[in-house]
Amino acid sequence: MSRFRTLSLAATEGFLPVTETAVAAVDSRGAVIAWSPGARMLLGYAPEDIVGRAASELLADGRLPDPARRHLVERKAWIGRVVLRHRTGYQIEADLQACPLLDARGGIQWWSVQAAIPDESDGAALALQRSLLQQRLPTLQAVDTATRYLPAEPHAGVGGDWFDVIPLSGARVALVVGDVVGHGIQASAAMGRLRTAVRTLADVDLPADELLTDLDDLIIEEARERSSSDGEIGATCLYLVYDPVSCRCTVASAGHLAPALVTPDGTVDLLDLEPGPPLGVGGVPFEAADFAVPPGSLLVLYTDGLVEARGRDVETGLNALRHALSRPAPSLHDLCDTVIGSLLPGAPNDDVALLVARTHALDAAHVAAWGVPADPAAVPDVRRRAVAQLKQWGLAEAVPTTELIVSELVTNALRHASAPIELRLIHNGMLICEVSDTSSTSPHPRRARALDEGGRGLLLVAQLCERWGTRHTGKGKTIWAEQPRPLHAPIPDTDPILAA
């Protein structure tokens, strides 16, 4: 017996509520077989994330209420309330109305279920907060991730906690967690602005300490422009960059609790990190710390609502977190559930954001690097090495494009930079070409005139690549270029749409 559920929901577009319809189809085995865009908006799952999984995973307690089960078995209509679980962990109460639909022979074909989301006490603020959080985590070779977000209990009002997973150049990834001081729609809006600013600064590939410094300046400048009635903006933020090639992470904190590191042998430690002041204070520099991260380790980022509560100080909460993280779990999502269940048996009195990442390494099978002699005559040999490496990786069809990119970037480094120069290729689902040198000057593409003999190289690189850019390092800079997967045609990202 299948059940067909239609959920009416209120979302937000800016601050204005709009109406959508969420539709899912569940087969006789209880598995989801179709998923609409409205369902994705309501519960955060993309079709490829939920189709084929048990529909019971969408229910907070894993099963329908007993009256609903009896009515479904007896093929009768049912009206009642259930609690649904969003992909990030928070719960949504919905009033469901289920009615059986018959096929041509009078048998049950679907259950049509309509649901109205009850008004929430902090309505617009909570809806805004949910819409601003990252709804779909990127698929990366550097880390596997799982997240949870829990709003505060109703009388406290929604806060401004957030998390983010941001792909960076060189197969690296930034893990971010932050907390805006205060509650209500103002805190949610401030969180959205901060999250956008962090993503913009991350795209420039700033080091962790410099990123927090620029973010601090932005908050101070915004505070000067705001009226006194708007109140001050205060926030904490932790920015962590993990490099799967070196298996190290760099972390900087603006008044935020240090992340936990769980090594493959089960050891749980908090990273020895000296936090800077919260964002918006100004005048004090932020410092970044560097740590080795064994492959297969867990990096756990969280906000203070997870470890601090009424009747429990932070140190007691951190000890409880260490104990929860030391318990084995079959998956990252199960580990998130274990941590939340152990530390927050009831509704939290402050927002909670939790981000867990399992790290992976890119070894010699995925990375190749060569030093480049300071001689233009070396360019053909460097090209030959790159071609041989691509063929070894089974990427022969990427050879023509990569030859052009390697020639342009290496030649530019020989002409305009200084030794030592290094070429590095990374194969991590995408093909990344990097050329590093000791110069701090960044190249800029320019449109060549008709009679110019040069100046077209970087424009050509930009057209051949999905992304390219410059990453400054302590020893100089790296010019990088990412090619999309050349082996497969893109798969269209379409959602099934079902008519009620």
Side-chain angles (χ1 to χ4, degrees):
M1 180 171 56
S2 299
R3 297 180 294 279
F4 189 70
R5 302 176 179 176
T6 304
L7 306 179
S8 174
L9 66 106
T12 58
E13 187 173 356
F15 293 96
L16 299 176
V18 297
T19 301
E20 275 286 348
T21 300
V23 180
V26 181
D27 67 12
S28 58
R29 298 170 301 167
V32 177
I33 60 172
W35 196 252
S36 76
R40 180 175 184 167
M41 288 181 62
L42 178 65
L43 296 179
Y45 292 95
E48 59 268 27
D49 298 328
I50 194 63
V51 170
R53 292 169 57 179
S56 58
E57 296 182 26
L58 303 174
L59 298 165
D61 57 4
R63 54 177 289 165
L64 287 167
D66 288 338
R69 295 167 63 87
R70 288 196 299 269
H71 279 69
L72 293 176
V73 169
E74 297 170 1
R75 303 186 179 189
K76 296 180 179 178
W78 178 77
I79 299 175
R81 177 170 293 190
V82 298
V83 180
L84 305 174
R85 178 188 296 175
H86 191 274
R87 186 179 188 274
T88 54
Y90 63 78
Q91 298 179 354
I92 304 170
E93 286 192 1
D95 293 322
L96 300 183
Q97 180 176 358
C99 299
L101 297 179
L102 305 181
D103 60 20
R105 292 175 293 180
I108 297 292
Q109 184 175 14
W110 307 100
W111 281 94
S112 174
V113 185
Q114 295 185 339
I117 308 303
D119 291 335
E120 294 163 317
S121 57
D122 58 348
L126 183 55
L128 177 63
Q129 172 81 351
R130 289 170 175 168
S131 68
L132 292 173
L133 288 172
Q134 190 171 28
Q135 297 297 319
R136 187 178 180 185
L137 299 175
T139 301
L140 304 169
Q141 285 205 350
V143 292
D144 299 322
T145 54
T147 61
R148 292 291 184 271
Y149 169 74
L150 277 71
E153 58 187 15
H155 80 269
V158 68
D161 292 17
W162 89 93
F163 53 80
D164 221 335
V165 179
I166 308 172
L168 301 176
S169 65
R172 300 168 305 136
V173 60
L175 306 176
V176 190
V177 68
D179 183 1
V180 174
V181 175
H183 294 86
I185 200 165
Q186 203 171 63
S188 296
M191 179 275 288
R193 294 194 299 272
L194 279 177
R195 180 171 178 255
T196 300
V198 170
R199 281 190 154 262
T200 301
L201 295 171
D203 191 56
V204 183
D205 234 331
L206 293 176
D209 52 343
E210 292 184 26
L211 183 142
L212 290 184
T213 299
D214 283 3
L215 191 63
D216 187 46
D217 291 341
L218 286 173
I219 289 180
I220 293 172
E221 183 62 30
E222 182 180 349
R224 294 193 185 105
E225 297 174 356
R226 293 164 63 88
S227 65
S228 58
S229 61
D230 290 337
E232 296 294 326
I233 299 177
T236 65
C237 182
L238 185 124
Y239 188 82
L240 182 152
V241 176
Y242 171 68
D243 186 342
V245 178
S246 65
C247 292
R248 303 190 70 84
C249 73
T250 303
V251 195
S253 170
H256 204 90
L257 294 166
L261 173 65
V262 185
T263 53
D265 62 4
T267 302
V268 183
D269 287 311
L270 298 179
L271 296 183
D272 187 12
L273 182 65
E274 188 67 33
L279 296 171
V281 173
V284 181
F286 298 96
E287 296 184 7
D290 188 69
F291 302 93
V293 182
S297 298
L298 299 179
L299 291 166
V300 183
L301 286 66
Y302 51 91
T303 54
D304 58 1
L306 180 67
V307 295
E308 188 176 14
R310 297 189 191 97
R312 184 182 68 193
D313 59 23
V314 173
E315 194 58 41
T316 302
L318 290 175
N319 289 333
L321 176 62
R322 291 188 188 96
H323 179 71
L325 293 174
S326 66
R327 296 161 58 183
S331 70
L332 294 184
H333 290 286
D334 290 324
L335 179 61
C336 287
D337 290 339
T338 297
V339 169
I340 295 296
S342 300
L343 276 73
L344 300 169
N349 61 327
D350 193 8
D351 277 27
V352 174
L354 173 65
L355 169 58
V356 179
R358 177 179 286 117
T359 65
H360 302 291
L362 292 179
D363 54 19
H366 297 85
V367 182
W370 305 276
V372 179
D375 181 359
V379 175
D381 182 60
V382 172
R383 267 201 316 264
R384 283 192 293 269
R385 290 188 179 191
V387 169
Q389 184 62 59
L390 293 186
K391 292 179 178 179
Q392 183 178 335
W393 282 338
L395 301 177
E397 58 268 53
V399 165
T401 300
T402 305
E403 280 189 298
L404 288 171
I405 294 171
V406 168
S407 292
E408 176 60 30
L409 297 187
V410 171
T411 301
N412 267 359
L414 290 171
R415 286 179 177 174
H416 305 295
S418 54
I421 298 171
E422 181 186 75
L423 168 67
R424 185 169 75 165
L425 298 179
I426 303 174
H427 179 213
N428 71 327
M430 302 190 78
L431 182 58
I432 305 170
C433 175
E434 297 184 339
V435 174
S436 301
D437 57 59
T438 58
S439 171
S440 59
T441 304
S442 298
H444 298 282
R446 61 182 178 85
R447 189 167 299 280
R449 294 184 295 270
L451 299 180
D452 286 350
E453 295 183 1
R456 298 177 176 85
L458 285 179
L459 285 175
L460 181 62
V461 169
Q463 292 172 353
L464 293 173
C465 295
E466 186 165 289
R467 297 196 308 158
W468 78 278
T470 303
R471 179 173 73 248
H472 290 278
T473 66
K475 299 179 180 179
K477 70 174 183 300
T478 297
I479 310 298
W480 54 269
E482 291 183 359
Q483 298 178 59
R485 247 185 302 227
L487 305 179
H488 308 287
I491 300 173
D493 184 15
T494 56
D495 295 340
I497 301 177
L498 304 176

